[in-house]
Amino acid sequence: MADHGALRPWRLVELRGEARQRLGDSLVAASAARGITNSHLATKPSRAELLLAIVSVTKPSLKVPAWEQDATAAGVAHVLSLLLDEAGWGVMWRSGPFVDASEVRELHGLRENERLLGWLYVGGVPDGTRDGPKLPVDPGAFLTAL
Ligand SMILES: Cc1cc2nc3c(=O)[nH]c(=O)nc-3n(C[C@H](O)[C@H](O)[C@H](O)COP(=O)(O)O)c2cc1C
């Protein structure tokens, strides 16, 4: 795991069963607090059996700034999604405008030095629905040389 200073600046929160409903409720409350009415948000977290909240935990460090610690936590989510996919699970990383909302932060018990990077939605893959090959990436558009 790429982790400058071996700070382990992440933690995961699993949400199963009725905890997903509580997340839906907090999303509705967060949207209402911003003047948006969206009752669909209540059931969205129940689309997968398991949600894994990815939390970046900023540790005190003179040499590793917060953005590097966020990058490490994002790396954990990325690696985990690849491993789950490899093991046959369907995985989707979802974020959205409410990851920083106080209602959502409170539900996850986030402290001041913690930031929610979204949730990995994990579930089964119905027959015939697994993605096919991705569109090829042109490496020339992403690589230059000095
Ligand atoms: C940080 C992050 C947040 C994401 N949030 C959402 C989201 O809120 N809604 C969504 O439909 N997909 C979300 N995705 C999924 C991406 O849009 C995309 O489907 C996924 O990364 C797979 O990309 P690929 O098809 O190029 O492999 C998110 C991905 C990342 C990395």
Side-chain angles (χ1 to χ4, degrees), residues 4 10 15 27 50 62 71 80 116 131:
H4 189 180
W10 71 86
L15 294 89
L27 294 173
L50 167 66
L62 292 177
L80 193 52
L116 181 60
D131 279 351

Side-chain angles (χ1 to χ4, degrees), residues 76-89 91:
V76 168
H78 192 194
V79 167
L80 193 52
S81 62
L82 293 176
L83 289 170
L84 286 162
D85 179 82
E86 184 69 22
W89 295 99
V91 190

Side-chain angles (χ1 to χ4, degrees), residues 37-87:
T37 310
N38 186 349
S39 55
H40 296 303
L41 287 170
T43 52
K44 287 203 167 187
S46 298
R47 289 173 297 176
E49 289 292 309
L50 167 66
L51 273 61
L52 291 170
I54 309 296
V55 180
S56 174
V57 184
T58 307
K59 303 283 178 73
S61 171
L62 292 177
K63 63 174 186 173
V64 188
W67 76 263
E68 288 193 15
Q69 301 190 37
D70 284 348
T72 295
V76 168
H78 192 194
V79 167
L80 193 52
S81 62
L82 293 176
L83 289 170
L84 286 162
D85 179 82
E86 184 69 22

Side-chain angles (χ1 to χ4, degrees), residues 47 74 77-78 81 91-97 99 117-121 131 134-135 137:
R47 289 173 297 176
H78 192 194
S81 62
V91 190
M92 186 168 187
W93 187 343
R94 298 194 70 94
S95 51
V99 287
L117 302 186
W119 303 266
L120 296 185
Y121 279 61
D131 279 351
K134 307 277 186 191
L135 288 175
V137 171

